[in-house]
Amino acid sequence: MLNKPRLLTPGPTPLPEQIRLAMAQDMIHHRKSAFKLVMAELQERLRLLFGTAQPVMPLACSGSGVMTAAVTNLFAPGEKVIVVDGGKFGERWIKISEGHGLQVVTVKVEWGNAVSVAEVEAALDAHPDARGLLIQNSETSTGALHPVHLLGGLTRARNMLLVVDGISSVGISPCPMDELDIDCLVTGSQKGLMLPPGLGLIALSERAWAKAETVPPACFYFNLLSERANCLKNQTLFTTPVSLIIGLNESMKMFMEAGLDTVYRKQWALTMFARTSVKEMGLELLAKDRFTWGLTSVMLPEGIDGSKLLEIAAERFGVYMAGGQDHLKGRAIRIGHMGWVDWADLAAGLHALAESFRACGGYIGSRDYLEKGLQAYHEALLTYDGSM
Amino acid sequence: MLNKPRLLTPGPTPLPEQIRLAMAQDMIHHRKSAFKLVMAELQERLRLLFGTAQPVMPLACSGSGVMTAAVTNLFAPGEKVIVVDGGKFGERWIKISEGHGLQVVTVKVEWGNAVSVAEVEAALDAHPDARGLLIQNSETSTGALHPVHLLGGLTRARNMLLVVDGISSVGISPCPMDELDIDCLVTGSQKGLMLPPGLGLIALSERAWAKAETVPPACFYFNLLSERANCLKNQTLFTTPVSLIIGLNESMKMFMEAGLDTVYRKQWALTMFARTSVKEMGLELLAKDRFTWGLTSVMLPEGIDGSKLLEIAAERFGVYMAGGQDHLKGRAIRIGHMGWVDWADLAAGLHALAESFRACGGYIGSRDYLEKGLQAYHEALLTYDGSM
């Protein structure tokens, strides 16, 4: 009774009551007209979100499922792809690609850094026979934001496909697919879209569709050509998670009513809030230059146990954050501020971070880290200029 | 306002309010302790439902996804399998198997019929090099119930795996996996389990696990060995549809409180109700001998348009049923009576069927098809003996 539980992980996120209640309605059948009407409305909204004229297809799977769908439908075994690997999800592109029998060239980036355009260009030039570039927009394991908005020209010029994991960026920061010459954009339901996990979304450019038509089918369950044919009839190839589709339509209604610009502005301002506060506390940010707008990763000083810190934050303050992954386990904290999270939730999260850090023996330099963070938030709301 | 909508399709089914409200709770994180407690409780309940000592793994996918997982994890490309094909979902086993590069031997069964043990035995004897037998328990496209309870001895004796699609039978009629020597049992959330679509469930026998360990990984997303390792820690390999897991736990709580015997008794009695009424109407049943307990398929006489009949039932009576599939499109009606459907819902469905049939120009022989059906229902509740 002392604390309300606050979910500040980088997905899943808290859900608006409006969406939870829409999903709590009794079932409708996925092959009947009432469902097709929902799909038609949803499709129009999703195309605005993705910034594409192409269909945006919902698949019944997690983020890793929709990444698998992208790789297995766009490339044939034996083909070469270039993967930017700057974290756990870069590694996932590699595992999926190798599992599918592709030749993988890796552009390795230190955890926390965004890849530079020059590094990508050098790899593309060194491997002109590569058929695609696979990259995260936001690398959820570190909080780095790769500059996918600067890569479309490079891949187009070389007749390679630009395949972007937008799982923790779609609905969080701008990633207009057609404008950026992105050939494949995927996302999941449980991050910026304010939904439970269970739904993947994927869209392909015209070029990508042409390529997909030449690739032999790999996994029966992930057949994008059949999904497209169904999507154009407001249907799905297989039975779809009906309640999540209804929730997604409600979510997209909220997005459209607020306007995408407002959503991105809010996400940018929350990020400024988190980064300012963390710096005021005297803690180090993991992603320094280009950072995602949906989570903030904090490095802990030597001797502070991150797992214990997370436990204290949950038990004493009701705040659930995530730790670092793999070699950063116990050494970093990831505060999610995506989805149905606002400034007051984030203030609670940052206070819990500071107090739990203290309880672990850490020293917090500033007493006004919240006030300064909130000022940065308000200023960012006013000065946000829509840049990527 | 005249009719309440009644979903009587063979999945998805109506959902109990208790489950819908459990799923409407705000999100929890799938890697935190609150979720692990849910998974531990769920696991115990699912093992009772499946009748197995092995873990029952939830996957984020539709029924076709979990069928794909079974095939690609249990058999290596080039291996031979025998598929019983008595409808659209038998065909799906074939497509998935062929897509995975297996040699497929088909035991073709006329739509509506259940395969005989002798037919299966002949195929097994003719192909001693086959590594598995793939079959539906309930073939949802026809309503036939294949005698999987009589096949385990045959496959064990020949060192073949018995792989059973229980999508429209698990939670509907008894299919105790370990007792029946079934090596792989799969189901989906949206049929007997009273949940929205979006979750597949799969369990493997010890023999099947031993075989799976020898099969090279195929599709990155469907990795049952890793799923098992996670499941044993009350986790999932990838982000799981948290709200569906919570709903499934609630559903299993309802199952355990009622007792499996009560659920099967109810399903058997509903089936007797539907079959008696349909016969009284003078209509023909598609599945004559061995029939599933979750839906009843009705053949329409020449000259009656099944699609029009379904439209009338929906528009005038608020009753949503399904039509025949493929060559039975427009010629058959499938009334679902699985999941959160009781005798009064089914009475509404059967009345809508009769009146819509009349409106299409059909002739209903009996005026007491409901009364007779209900008597059959009550009698079946009393005489049900637990046989399969």
Side-chain angles (χ1 to χ4, degrees):
Chain A
M1 289 292 281
L2 200 61
N3 305 303
K4 296 188 190 178
R6 284 193 172 76
L7 190 57
L8 293 169
T9 52
T13 71
L15 310 178
E17 190 181 39
Q18 173 176 350
I19 292 180
R20 293 190 277 116
L21 294 182
M23 292 189 300
Q25 292 170 73
D26 209 348
M27 197 42 47
I28 60 172
H29 194 270
H30 57 293
R31 302 294 183 206
K32 306 281 184 190
S33 56
F35 180 78
K36 290 179 191 167
L37 289 174
V38 172
M39 279 288 280
E41 199 170 53
L42 174 59
Q43 201 48 223
E44 203 170 303
R45 292 166 172 171
L46 284 177
R47 288 180 191 194
L48 286 169
L49 177 71
F50 270 58
T52 185
Q54 298 294 321
V56 181
M57 296 163 294
L59 306 182
C61 62
S62 77
S64 297
V66 78
M67 289 170 78
T68 303
V71 170
T72 56
N73 279 269
L74 291 174
F75 305 103
E79 288 187 332
K80 185 189 273 189
V81 293
I82 298 169
V83 175
V84 172
D85 170 15
K88 195 168 177 69
F89 296 96
E91 285 170 13
R92 188 146 307 171
W93 275 138
I94 296 175
K95 284 184 188 167
I96 296 171
S97 300
E98 289 181 346
H100 183 52
L102 305 184
Q103 295 178 59
V104 178
V105 174
T106 302
V107 180
K108 188 83 189 154
V109 183
E110 204 187 329
W111 281 45
N113 288 359
V115 75
S116 72
V117 175
E119 286 169 293
V120 172
E121 196 165 12
L124 301 188
D125 285 341
H127 301 278
D129 55 333
R131 304 302 309 272
L133 171 67
L134 279 54
I135 189 168
Q136 273 57 48
N137 186 7
S138 158
E139 169 57 66
T140 318
S141 64
T142 67
L145 190 73
H146 293 310
V148 298
H149 62 300
L150 302 176
L151 304 179
L154 301 181
T155 45
R156 289 267 153 144
R158 288 161 180 83
N159 201 27
M160 294 179 198
L161 297 178
L162 175 56
V163 180
V164 174
D165 164 4
I167 292 173
S168 63
S169 77
V170 169
I172 295 172
S173 61
C175 189
M177 189 179 157
D178 290 357
E179 184 189 327
L180 300 182
D181 283 344
I182 291 171
D183 293 302
C184 175
L185 181 61
V186 304
T187 196
S189 50
Q190 78 278 16
K191 310 276 183 182
L193 308 186
M194 311 187 293
L195 281 184
L199 209 53
L201 296 171
I202 183 166
L204 269 57
S205 69
E206 272 182 47
R207 274 168 19 117
W209 281 119
K211 177 72 162 61
E213 277 161 15
T214 70
V215 172
C219 183
F220 178 82
Y221 187 59
F222 296 117
N223 185 329
L224 295 182
L225 292 167
S226 295
E227 290 288 357
R228 176 173 63 172
N230 277 278
C231 192
L232 294 172
K233 295 182 287 185
N234 297 313
Q235 282 286 279
T236 54
L237 175 54
F238 303 120
T239 309
T240 191
V242 173
S243 55
L244 292 177
I245 293 282
I246 287 171
L248 181 58
N249 196 29
E250 194 66 28
S251 165
M252 288 301 100
K253 190 177 151 207
M254 290 176 74
F255 266 75
M256 298 305 142
E257 280 170 3
L260 286 176
D261 179 78
T262 303
V263 176
Y264 301 145
R265 183 183 301 272
K266 171 198 149 196
Q267 288 302 136
W268 172 251
L270 288 177
T271 307
M272 291 299 102
F273 179 2
R275 294 179 70 85
T276 304
S277 276
V278 166
K279 279 190 242 174
E280 284 294 321
M281 289 178 204
L283 289 168
E284 192 193 342
L285 294 160
L286 174 58
K288 295 198 176 57
D289 300 325
R290 285 190 51 84
F291 41 83
T292 179
W293 302 4
L295 69 126
T296 296
S297 295
V298 183
M299 288 302 294
L300 298 172
E302 203 75 30
I304 302 288
D305 176 352
S307 310
K308 196 178 153 205
L309 190 157
L310 288 177
E311 253 179 61
I312 294 172
E315 281 170 19
R316 293 198 204 157
F317 303 96
V319 168
Y320 298 88
M321 299 177 290
Q325 291 174 292
D326 294 349
H327 69 276
L328 292 184
K329 207 172 157 78
R331 296 182 49 213
I333 300 291
R334 292 177 300 146
I335 314 169
H337 39 77
M338 55 179 69
W340 190 234
V341 169
D342 76 353
W343 58 274
D345 298 319
L346 182 55
L350 290 163
H351 181 64
L353 171 66
E355 290 301 317
S356 309
F357 180 65
R358 274 196 182 112
C360 290
Y363 173 75
I364 292 291
S366 155
R367 282 193 307 184
D368 56 358
Y369 62 87
L370 280 185
E371 185 55 25
K372 285 196 174 144
L374 282 162
Q375 289 312 321
Y377 168 78
H378 294 302
E379 198 185 306
L381 276 186
L382 295 174
T383 57
Y384 172 72
D385 65 359
S387 61
M388 295 184 204
Chain B
M1 289 293 280
L2 200 58
N3 306 304
K4 295 188 190 176
R6 282 192 174 77
L7 189 58
L8 293 169
T9 52
T13 71
L15 310 179
E17 190 181 39
Q18 174 176 348
I19 292 179
R20 292 190 277 115
L21 294 182
M23 293 189 299
Q25 292 170 70
D26 208 348
M27 195 45 46
I28 60 172
H29 194 272
H30 57 291
R31 302 294 183 207
K32 305 281 186 191
S33 56
F35 180 78
K36 289 179 192 169
L37 289 174
V38 172
M39 278 288 279
E41 198 170 52
L42 175 58
Q43 200 48 225
E44 204 170 304
R45 293 166 171 171
L46 284 176
R47 289 182 190 193
L48 286 169
L49 177 72
F50 271 58
T52 186
Q54 297 293 321
V56 181
M57 297 163 292
L59 307 182
C61 62
S62 78
S64 297
V66 78
M67 289 170 78
T68 303
V71 170
T72 56
N73 279 271
L74 291 174
F75 305 104
E79 287 187 332
K80 186 188 275 190
V81 293
I82 299 170
V83 175
V84 173
D85 171 14
K88 197 168 177 68
F89 296 96
E91 284 170 13
R92 188 146 306 171
W93 275 138
I94 297 175
K95 283 184 190 167
I96 295 172
S97 299
E98 288 181 347
H100 183 52
L102 305 184
Q103 294 179 60
V104 178
V105 175
T106 302
V107 180
K108 188 83 187 154
V109 183
E110 202 186 329
W111 281 46
N113 289 357
V115 74
S116 72
V117 175
E119 286 171 291
V120 172
E121 197 165 10
L124 300 189
D125 285 340
H127 300 278
D129 56 331
R131 304 303 308 273
L133 171 66
L134 280 54
I135 189 168
Q136 273 57 46
N137 186 8
S138 158
E139 169 57 67
T140 318
S141 65
T142 68
L145 190 72
H146 294 310
V148 297
H149 62 300
L150 302 177
L151 303 179
L154 301 180
T155 45
R156 289 266 154 145
R158 287 160 181 84
N159 202 26
M160 294 179 196
L161 297 178
L162 175 56
V163 180
V164 174
D165 163 5
I167 293 172
S168 65
S169 78
V170 170
I172 294 172
S173 61
C175 190
M177 189 177 158
D178 290 357
E179 184 190 327
L180 300 182
D181 284 344
I182 290 172
D183 293 302
C184 174
L185 182 62
V186 305
T187 196
S189 51
Q190 78 278 17
K191 310 275 182 180
L193 308 187
M194 311 187 294
L195 281 184
L199 209 52
L201 296 171
I202 183 167
L204 269 57
S205 69
E206 271 183 46
R207 273 168 18 118
W209 279 119
K211 177 72 163 59
E213 278 162 14
T214 70
V215 172
C219 183
F220 178 82
Y221 188 58
F222 296 118
N223 185 330
L224 295 183
L225 292 167
S226 295
E227 291 288 356
R228 175 174 62 172
N230 278 277
C231 192
L232 293 172
K233 294 182 287 184
N234 298 313
Q235 282 286 280
T236 54
L237 175 54
F238 303 120
T239 309
T240 191
V242 174
S243 55
L244 292 177
I245 293 283
I246 287 170
L248 180 57
N249 195 30
E250 195 65 29
S251 165
M252 287 301 100
K253 190 177 150 205
M254 291 175 74
F255 266 75
M256 298 305 141
E257 280 170 2
L260 286 176
D261 178 79
T262 303
V263 176
Y264 300 146
R265 183 183 300 272
K266 171 198 150 196
Q267 288 302 135
W268 171 251
L270 288 177
T271 308
M272 290 300 102
F273 179 2
R275 294 179 70 86
T276 303
S277 275
V278 166
K279 279 191 241 172
E280 284 295 320
M281 289 178 204
L283 288 167
E284 193 193 341
L285 293 160
L286 175 56
K288 292 195 177 61
D289 299 325
R290 284 190 53 85
F291 41 84
T292 180
W293 302 4
L295 69 126
T296 296
S297 295
V298 182
M299 288 302 295
L300 298 172
E302 203 74 29
I304 302 289
D305 176 351
S307 310
K308 198 177 149 205
L309 191 157
L310 288 177
E311 253 179 62
I312 293 172
E315 282 170 19
R316 293 198 206 158
F317 302 96
V319 168
Y320 297 87
M321 299 177 290
Q325 291 175 292
D326 294 347
H327 68 276
L328 292 184
K329 207 173 158 75
R331 296 182 48 212
I333 300 292
R334 292 177 300 146
I335 314 168
H337 38 79
M338 57 179 70
W340 190 233
V341 169
D342 76 354
W343 57 274
D345 297 320
L346 183 54
L350 291 163
H351 182 64
L353 171 65
E355 290 300 315
S356 308
F357 179 65
R358 275 197 180 110
C360 288
Y363 172 75
I364 291 292
S366 154
R367 281 193 306 185
D368 55 359
Y369 61 88
L370 280 185
E371 185 56 22
K372 286 196 174 144
L374 282 163
Q375 289 312 322
Y377 168 78
H378 293 303
E379 199 184 306
L381 276 186
L382 294 174
T383 58
Y384 172 72
D385 64 359
S387 60
M388 296 185 203

